Amino acid sequence: MTDTNTLSKIQEKARRLLEDGKVEVVIGFAAGTVPGKSTPSFISAKEDCESLVWDNGCSLNLAKYVLKEKRKAAIIVKGCDSRSLVNLITENQIKRENLYIIGAACPLSASCAGCQVKVPVIYDELIEDGSEIREVSTIAERRYDDVLEFEKLSAEERKAYVYGEVSKCIRCYACRNVCPACYCKECFAEKSLPQWIGKTTDIGDNLIFHLIRALHVAGRCVDCGSCQRACPMGVNLRLLNHKLLMEVGSLYQFEAGLKEDQILPLNTYQYDDPQPFLAKGGGHE
Amino acid sequence: MIYQIRKDDFLSWLKKQREGKKVLVPTRKEEGYLFLPWVGDELDLREYTNTLKPVKDVFFPQWETLIRYRVEKEKSGEIVEETSRTEPLILFGVRPCDAKSIKLLDNVFDGEKYKDPYYCQRRKNTLIISLGCRELGPTCFCQNIGINPLSSEGSDILLVEFEDRYLAQSGSDTGLEILEQAPFTPAESKEQKIFDELNGNPARLNEAEFRSLALNNMPDFNDSVWEKLYQKCLNCGICTYLCPTCHCFDISEMTLDSEGKRVRSWDSCMYSSFTLHGSGHNPRPTGKERIRQRIMHKFNYFPQNYGVIACVGCGRCVAECPVNFDVREALKLLGVWKDDLQL
Ligand code: SF4
Ligand code: SF4
Ligand code: SF4
Ligand code: SF4
């Protein structure tokens, strides 16, 4: 929980930005209608800033909305939202100067396991509440317990687990649509001319969807957890995300969304890139 | 006429039905309750308010093969119709809102103009035993839109839990035939009275009243109010896929070499690919038009076409939306929700 002081500072900042005409809209959260869920709110009248909340229900990654926003906007971000913004800036999807970023420490009472970036990494104004601000250089390479446990299982057990998870999926694409890293105008999952994957929830089609989704966000996923929270069927999406975070970490010593000048390893290519899968000799045994 | 049956007797009866019929019951899974084949073990309905996925899945599955085909060199193509794979089925524990949703879907798939053979076959083969709601779930709003949580509409048999018994009412001739035989017995006048009391005026607004509100008060297609609604929506498929009344589908071909199949799968008006033309033009280019479509279809077009609102107030869309888009709030903003009703 955050203290009311943080919230009133956020509201005050939002109100001033609208009043001074610095922005036309403030993207934040308002109280929801379902227990435990706050709801994204787009505020353009300064009187409405009082409806802003900053609480346990603010788990969604708001960076997604910046992609569509055409007005001059301010956005209220926690750690992971700010990291997604960094990604979107480095990938030329949004312009930093069009955005006013109000940063505040993550208000979730139970933060995600292993989260090291509760306080935003970029902001125009940081609402300080005494939370520890991590220097990027002190962020340790990720070791995810769920992956380490999973890796101990036998091949059959791993297959059974993944099949079990993936077969729950109803292909509603909420995991894709909440994710700020998923912004393709045309997604392979919905392409029809030609069709890339079948529109069934057969295990084959579901597996392909899940593997491609995970691979497409590899090196860009900031582990905000929005995809998993959005999933109505309780599919464990984070396991695959975590595995790829670990791979990207060990192959490229890279973690997404920390610095505005970082180069995304999977978006670049150099002739002498190591190719470990070929180095082993390539081909089939 | 009200009937009754002791719970134990009912379970033994249901167990017996498993000879020759498949019985689906609400089964507790990690993610929520789902209708799954019953193996005859003890039913765990302690926290059952409704299933995560609506019951439409049984009649109008998320995807199914319509036909298969084969093309051989120097021969004309051969079409193999998909043979029916339906089997006699009993659904136990359907909630009255979902039972009503099947009645609504009948208008579309078993209507006067069109009959969908796959759907109709499954309908004919299925007995629906619903379980009335003595208590409403946190996001249920059936009563606010004129639906009675103890109604037998759309069910063959409605059961209402009462101490060690179920009180039972038929919703169809098939249901009545079953209730007229042992182990069901006619309820005594005392039980009859209890049932009537439970059933007395549970809807706070009648359906006709709500329908006329929706038909008369719905803002114009081009009203600026639609602008206010859509901003937070992410255009995923949750609210439509989990909705018991949504029924849009897509047809696609899945081919491999010389063989293929034509598949029908659920589609969602919330997707950006919905109504995308081959030319690349989309008459519903943004979330605004899509939310408008979703609301208008349920609360305006459907009642215009079939005389009944296409929402049963199950609240799944409210409970599961990742951004808490609440259809009740939307209706309130649109002037279609009665003011004196609290959210
Ligand atoms: S893949 Fe999931 S955890 Fe990663 S950035 Fe996207 S929504 Fe967040
Ligand atoms: S949100 Fe869940 S059910 Fe929907 S597509 Fe993603 S994994 Fe599947
Ligand atoms: S209203 Fe909610 S559930 Fe429906 S498409 Fe929008 S975000 Fe998804
Ligand atoms: S619109 Fe929402 S509340 Fe109404 S029937 Fe569909 S899922 Fe249920």
Side-chain angles (χ1 to χ4, degrees):
Chain A
M1 262 343 259
T2 38
D3 52 306
T4 45
N5 200 14
T6 305
L7 176 61
S8 55
K9 281 189 211 157
I10 290 175
Q11 290 173 340
E12 173 57 23
K13 183 72 209 170
R15 204 176 52 79
R16 241 185 308 122
L17 287 170
L18 287 167
E19 203 167 52
D20 299 347
K22 285 229 173 72
V23 300
E24 293 160 85
V25 62
V26 176
I27 306 172
F29 285 99
T33 62
V34 174
K37 253 188 213 173
S38 301
T39 190
S41 182
F42 299 76
I43 294 178
S44 46
K46 63 177 197 294
E47 312 76 74
D48 296 341
C49 289
E50 276 165 38
S51 68
L52 285 168
V53 301
W54 192 245
D55 59 19
N56 211 14
C58 302
S59 56
L60 192 85
N61 190 332
L62 289 180
K64 182 80 188 191
Y65 291 109
V66 176
L67 283 158
K68 268 198 307 190
E69 190 54 67
K70 297 202 175 64
R71 295 165 287 186
K72 210 156 166 32
I75 179 171
I76 303 162
V77 298
K78 52 191 172 292
C80 46
D81 307 36
S82 79
R83 296 179 57 194
S84 290
L85 289 178
V86 168
N87 269 349
L88 292 174
I89 294 163
T90 44
E91 294 189 312
N92 293 321
Q93 297 304 311
I94 55 170
K95 287 210 168 70
R96 175 71 182 89
E97 57 273 23
N98 286 350
L99 204 59
Y100 192 98
I101 304 170
I102 305 171
C106 177
L108 270 60
S109 55
S111 51
C112 304
C115 175
Q116 299 180 54
V117 193
K118 295 188 175 59
V119 178
V121 292
I122 46 166
Y123 44 78
D124 291 293
E125 177 157 339
L126 183 66
I127 312 285
E128 290 192 55
D129 67 351
S131 299
E132 186 202 359
I133 302 175
R134 297 281 300 242
E135 285 299 321
V136 168
S137 56
T138 69
I139 290 171
E141 197 183 299
R142 303 298 161 114
R143 309 286 294 160
Y144 290 97
D145 288 343
D146 54 352
V147 178
L148 299 177
E149 284 305 309
F150 182 73
E151 284 174 348
K152 287 186 198 147
L153 301 175
S154 70
E156 274 88 66
E157 288 167 322
R158 293 200 303 267
K159 179 175 164 186
Y161 181 77
V162 170
Y163 273 40
E165 287 304 303
V166 159
S167 57
K168 294 189 227 164
C169 172
I170 57 167
R171 297 280 287 282
C172 67
Y173 305 138
C175 51
R176 174 194 72 181
N177 288 23
V178 291
C179 176
C182 277
Y183 53 72
C184 293
K185 286 261 185 292
E186 277 183 281
C187 173
F188 76 97
E190 275 181 89
K191 278 223 43 108
S192 59
L193 288 171
Q195 185 169 304
W196 281 36
I197 65 168
K199 295 198 165 192
T200 78
T201 47
D202 195 47
I203 186 74
D205 286 336
N206 274 7
L207 260 180
I208 301 255
F209 168 66
H210 281 264
L211 293 176
I212 300 186
R213 187 205 66 83
L215 283 167
H216 277 186
V217 296
R220 303 159 60 238
C221 169
V222 299
D223 194 27
C224 67
S226 287
C227 49
Q228 184 151 334
R229 285 189 202 98
C231 177
M233 305 313 292
V235 178
N236 184 356
L237 292 152
R238 270 182 129 163
L239 178 66
L240 219 49
N241 291 347
H242 286 167
K243 170 71 181 157
L244 286 161
L245 278 151
M246 279 172 59
E247 291 292 317
V248 171
S250 68
L251 281 171
Y252 306 104
Q253 294 74 52
F254 180 81
E255 173 111 21
L258 293 176
K259 284 183 287 185
E260 273 177 87
D261 56 0
Q262 67 190 12
I263 294 166
L264 298 166
L266 292 164
N267 294 18
T268 53
Y269 173 74
Q270 274 156 19
Y271 190 70
D272 55 355
D273 275 348
Q275 302 195 13
F277 49 98
L278 287 184
K280 272 193 196 150
H284 295 286
E285 279 166 22
Chain B
M1 180 97 179
I2 303 300
Y3 295 80
Q4 65 171 344
I5 187 166
R6 280 173 38 93
K7 280 189 188 167
D8 304 349
D9 293 341
F10 174 74
L11 282 181
S12 320
W13 176 84
L14 194 62
K15 239 176 235 177
K16 257 221 320 279
Q17 304 305 308
R18 287 172 54 244
E19 298 159 14
K21 285 187 176 147
K22 197 155 135 191
V23 179
L24 300 185
V25 299
T27 309
R28 188 209 284 267
K29 305 288 285 178
E30 220 180 311
E31 60 271 29
Y33 277 94
L34 296 172
F35 280 109
L36 292 174
W38 188 40
V39 288
D41 54 353
E42 208 178 318
L43 295 176
D44 175 9
L45 298 175
R46 274 167 305 159
E47 281 169 52
Y48 178 53
T49 47
N50 207 342
T51 49
L52 183 54
K53 282 208 254 179
V55 73
K56 73 174 175 191
D57 205 12
V58 170
F59 306 100
F60 168 50
Q62 172 142 25
W63 67 278
E64 65 184 312
T65 305
L66 301 177
I67 52 169
R68 293 176 186 276
Y69 42 80
R70 196 178 309 127
V71 191
E72 275 171 58
K73 252 199 191 132
E74 283 148 39
K75 274 200 199 153
S76 59
E78 189 191 343
I79 290 181
V80 192
E81 229 173 283
E82 187 74 354
T83 48
S84 149
R85 278 160 300 163
T86 67
E87 50 193 324
L89 201 69
I90 294 185
L91 282 169
F92 165 71
V94 175
R95 290 303 189 185
C97 55
D98 279 14
K100 162 109 183 177
S101 77
I102 299 305
K103 289 278 282 191
L104 298 173
L105 292 183
D106 285 349
N107 286 303
V108 179
F109 295 111
D110 190 9
E112 289 187 358
K113 244 168 124 188
Y114 305 106
K115 295 220 182 283
D116 183 291
Y118 306 86
Y119 178 92
C120 293
Q121 225 165 27
R122 294 196 184 99
R123 273 293 266 145
K124 252 188 233 123
N125 257 337
T126 306
L127 184 83
I128 301 180
I129 304 176
S130 59
L131 202 53
C133 302
R134 302 268 324 250
E135 265 174 61
L136 302 196
T139 55
C140 297
F141 62 95
C142 54
Q143 294 187 320
N144 302 57
I145 59 170
I147 288 169
N148 175 354
L150 292 171
S151 160
S152 59
E153 192 185 354
S155 318
D156 293 293
I157 296 172
L158 164 80
L159 298 180
V160 178
E161 197 173 346
F162 189 71
E163 290 167 7
D164 60 339
R165 284 158 296 165
Y166 287 120
L167 300 181
Q169 189 181 38
S170 67
S172 73
D173 294 345
T174 321
L176 186 61
E177 262 170 51
I178 295 170
L179 291 183
E180 279 172 339
Q181 291 168 26
F184 296 89
T185 54
E188 285 161 30
S189 61
K190 198 176 79 199
E191 271 86 28
Q192 182 99 35
K193 231 175 108 199
I194 292 167
F195 186 88
D196 289 344
E197 262 164 38
L198 286 176
N199 222 333
N201 193 28
R204 289 193 253 170
L205 181 75
N206 70 44
E207 202 266 340
E209 219 181 317
F210 179 61
R211 188 165 9 103
S212 77
L213 207 62
L215 287 172
N216 298 326
N217 286 21
M218 190 64 80
D220 271 359
F221 203 67
N222 290 321
D223 199 291
S224 61
V225 69
W226 299 111
E227 294 280 346
K228 289 196 201 130
L229 270 178
Y230 79 99
Q231 293 187 75
K232 66 179 169 188
C233 169
L234 296 165
N235 291 283
C236 69
I238 293 181
C239 56
T240 46
Y241 279 9
L242 296 186
C243 175
T245 73
C246 276
H247 52 269
C248 283
F249 58 79
D250 190 16
I251 291 180
S252 55
E253 308 291 337
M254 295 175 78
T255 49
L256 192 66
D257 301 331
S258 58
E259 288 188 349
K261 56 182 181 184
R262 179 162 300 168
V263 166
R264 165 165 71 184
S265 49
W266 290 351
D267 200 356
S268 167
C269 60
M270 303 313 291
Y271 290 161
S272 55
S273 61
F274 188 77
T275 62
L276 177 65
H277 296 182
S279 66
H281 171 69
N282 193 337
R284 299 194 184 97
T286 74
K288 181 179 99 176
E289 294 83 9
R290 292 180 212 133
I291 279 273
R292 182 176 64 195
Q293 166 64 19
R294 176 173 158 233
I295 296 204
M296 289 287 259
H297 188 196
K298 290 184 180 308
F299 299 98
N300 203 279
Y301 311 146
F302 201 90
Q304 280 187 43
N305 291 336
Y306 303 112
V308 57
I309 295 273
C311 167
V312 295
C314 72
R316 286 184 179 89
C317 59
V318 178
E320 300 301 332
C321 172
V323 301
N324 188 220
F325 180 96
D326 189 324
V327 71
R328 298 167 299 178
E329 273 190 317
L331 291 174
K332 210 168 188 174
L333 188 70
L334 294 166
V336 177
W337 187 267
K338 253 192 142 186
D339 283 336
D340 55 333
L341 294 179
Q342 296 274 310
L343 282 189

